Amino acid sequence: MENPRPQPPAPTPPMAPLPAPVHPPIAPIPVPPPRAPAPAAAAASSMASTSASAAGGDGEAEYEISEDHRAARERHERAVQELLQRRRAYAMAVPTNDSAVRARLRRLGEPITLFGEREMERRDRLRALMVRLEADGQVDRLLRAQEDDQAARAGDEEEEEEIQYPFFTEGTEELLNARVDIARYSLPRAKARIERAKRRHEDPDEDPEAEADLFVKQAAEFVLECSEIGDDRPLTGCSFSRDASMLATSSWSGIIKVWSMPQITKITTLKGHTERATDVTFSPADDCLATASADRTAKLWKPDGSLLMSFDGHLDRLARLAFHPSGKYLGTASFDKTWRLWDINTGKELLLQEGHSRSVYGVNFHPDGSLAASCGLDSYARVWDLRSGRLFFTLKGHVKPVLGISFSPNGYLLATGSEDNFCRIWDLRKRQMLYSIPAHKSLISHVKFEPQEGYYLATSSYDTKAAVNFMPFIYFSFFIRH
């Protein structure tokens, strides 16, 4: 039996097309009425249309530029021009010396200075003038002025003598006599000191360590003997007389007072300074005393209050002062970056010593009288040979101003105190630092060796304490607190 054939599917009738949607008509967009153009905008549009027609009328529309945009573009162009002129000015070779700047301005026919004008402002004015002349095409004028400067500089160099460093200036006859006198005074004292040191070193009965221990025990028994109000204003210095029978004090009030010891009764008051007194010291040869002041003068007094002499010459206020061991000379340190040596008998200035880059604060003399030491706010201390005038040694180690300096009686140790809170001990034989003592918590205002043997060193500080340091200069103890 055969299978029947499959029948094809019946055809689907076609669908009727969908009717197209009908939208309502859109109302036309209203056109705003034309506005009358502003006069400036109308002129600009007319200029733009004129330029467009003059260009050939190619049909391309140009944009109108507003006044604000045009002003902004002009400001930008001016700023660019000023920047270029400033760059050109700093690229120019302008003299740095003020005298050369004045000479160049004079050659260009400009005033060499204006009211209230400083050096840098004058140099900037010259730079702007040179740029302006170059922009105006007056290069020949600039070149002519520069050639005149070079010719004048060459003439000055030919006239100047070549200076050889280090150089020496010729001193006065008084200074020569003082150097000879200091040499004759110091050589016998140095010889006696060295012989005494050799004798003590060779003597088997001498025991320096035992003597130092004795001093330590005595210092442990230090007590406050007395306390007295010295002045209405802060005290700046004090000094004992050579026999310790008198004590002199100086203060910010400019008044120096002399007290009897140990009764602590006021003997006299010295008045003569017009500014605060900065230091006072007794002479090692007699009972005279010298004072220093911020009025740029030092004065020599008798203990009864009579003024003997005034030493004038410093250009700035004085700091500290010291007598030469012979008592014939006085050293003064000043903020004019110099220290000076004066003759006590004549009042003349024998030596004006430079060398510090900043103010000189302290000065001290070697016990033999051959050397002088100065310290200053440049963080250096320097040792000078008074017999020859040469610099013997520069003490470098402190990082802040050095305020105190003192020679040891043994002749070869030197102590300095600084604002870095350190006291440093230097060996003049080796020309190097031996010890660095962190003695205080604040700046050290002064240092002083024990005057007989130098067994201990006293230091004072702004931490309201004074300290005693014993050999080998290990910090021992505070002995007084203010």
Side-chain angles (χ1 to χ4, degrees), residues 182-202:
I182 290 173
R184 291 175 177 173
Y185 174 83
S186 62
L187 289 176
R189 291 173 63 91
K191 181 180 179 180
R193 175 176 54 82
I194 294 175
E195 290 179 353
R196 181 172 178 272
K198 288 182 178 180
R199 187 169 56 251
R200 294 189 60 185
H201 179 71
E202 296 172 356

Side-chain angles (χ1 to χ4, degrees), residues 48-62:
S49 60
T50 305
S51 61
S53 60
D58 53 358
E60 295 181 359
E62 292 191 0

Side-chain angles (χ1 to χ4, degrees), residues 242-293:
R242 55 177 180 169
D243 57 356
S245 62
M246 292 182 290
L247 174 70
T249 58
S250 59
S251 74
W252 278 7
S253 64
I255 298 175
I256 292 87
K257 297 180 181 180
V258 182
W259 311 79
S260 65
M261 299 297 291
Q263 295 84 10
I264 314 298
T265 57
K266 186 170 66 174
I267 299 176
T268 184
T269 299
L270 312 180
K271 297 181 179 180
H273 289 293
T274 58
E275 289 284 346
R276 59 187 183 275
T278 57
D279 199 12
V280 60
T281 181
F282 270 99
S283 171
D286 49 35
D287 290 336
C288 295
L289 67 155
T291 59
S293 172

Side-chain angles (χ1 to χ4, degrees), residues 22 32 56 67 90 125 157 201 208 248 290 402 404 421 428 443 457 460:
V22 179
E67 288 294 326
Y90 281 100
R125 181 163 63 89
E157 291 177 357
H201 179 71
V402 184
N421 307 349
L428 299 180
L443 66 87
L457 174 72
S460 59

Side-chain angles (χ1 to χ4, degrees), residues 212-213 215-216 219 413 423-425 434-440 449 454-459 467-478:
D213 292 340
F215 270 94
V216 170
L413 292 182
C423 175
R424 301 181 188 271
I425 310 299
L434 293 181
Y435 307 102
S436 182
I437 310 171
H440 293 275
F449 271 102
Y455 281 132
Y456 61 85
L457 174 72
T459 59
V468 178
N469 305 275
F470 291 88
M471 293 185 65
F473 297 104
I474 300 175
Y475 174 72
F476 173 65
S477 66
F478 295 118

Side-chain angles (χ1 to χ4, degrees), residues 42 72 86 94 102 139 144 148 229 240 265 269 300 323 333 336 415 417:
R86 194 177 298 113
V94 183
R102 291 170 179 263
V139 182
R144 188 164 53 254
D148 294 342
I229 298 177
F240 281 100
T265 57
T269 299
L300 185 65
F323 272 101
D336 61 4

